Amino acid sequence: MDETVDEVLGEEAGRVAAARAGTRRETFVFAPEQGVPPQVGPSAHATRWGDLVFCTGQLPTDPITGELVPGGVLEQAEQVRRNVAAVLGALGLTWDDALVVRVHLADLATCEAFDEAYRAWFRGPLPARSCVGVSALALGAALEVEVVAAARR
């Protein structure tokens, strides 16, 4: 017997609903001893939903002091790289699990220099990325980076 489109879509919708019913949001807050700086605002360091991990934007702050690291965009980009790597690492992930990276730069004139550093953050193909200029970032940072990654189950 041939199935109608509605019957097929209904079955697929049922599978999607069943999958979502078993999915729950998990949030994660890490300690400075884990290499992750305290958040500047009221948020978790990461949230996992199903197979996705959403890492809150990381600033170039020292994990122990919570203070902005000195230097320009390259020095601050290196600290952001380490901070995001610590969040991902605490969840068993690496930069190569990144699907989307969102970069906020306080000065778009630093984008080319940042791009040189950014390419070295990955061993494999680069993820999707957006890079936007903003008028200011918390603590006077030169950049902030957030990541959406694929969770390993």
Side-chain angles (χ1 to χ4, degrees), residues 35-97:
V36 182
Q39 285 300 95
V40 173
S43 66
H45 287 103
T47 299
R48 181 170 37 213
W49 177 264
D51 292 335
L52 297 176
V53 171
F54 301 85
C55 296
T56 299
Q58 291 295 305
L59 293 167
T61 52
D62 179 273
I64 302 302
T65 67
E67 298 292 322
L68 190 69
V69 299
V73 72
L74 293 179
E75 294 83 6
Q76 291 192 6
E78 176 56 22
Q79 186 64 51
V80 166
R81 183 198 64 77
R82 287 194 300 263
N83 293 350
V84 172
V87 172
L88 293 172
L91 297 169
L93 304 173
T94 71
W95 271 103
D96 288 318
D97 295 306

Side-chain angles (χ1 to χ4, degrees), residues 10 19-21 23 30 32 34 41 45 55 57 64 68 70 72-73 91 95 98 100 104 106 114 128-129 135 142:
R20 284 189 177 157
T23 301
F30 303 107
Q34 293 172 282
H45 287 103
C55 296
I64 302 302
L68 190 69
V73 72
L91 297 169
W95 271 103
V100 177
H104 301 90
F114 171 77
R129 186 188 92 171
S135 62

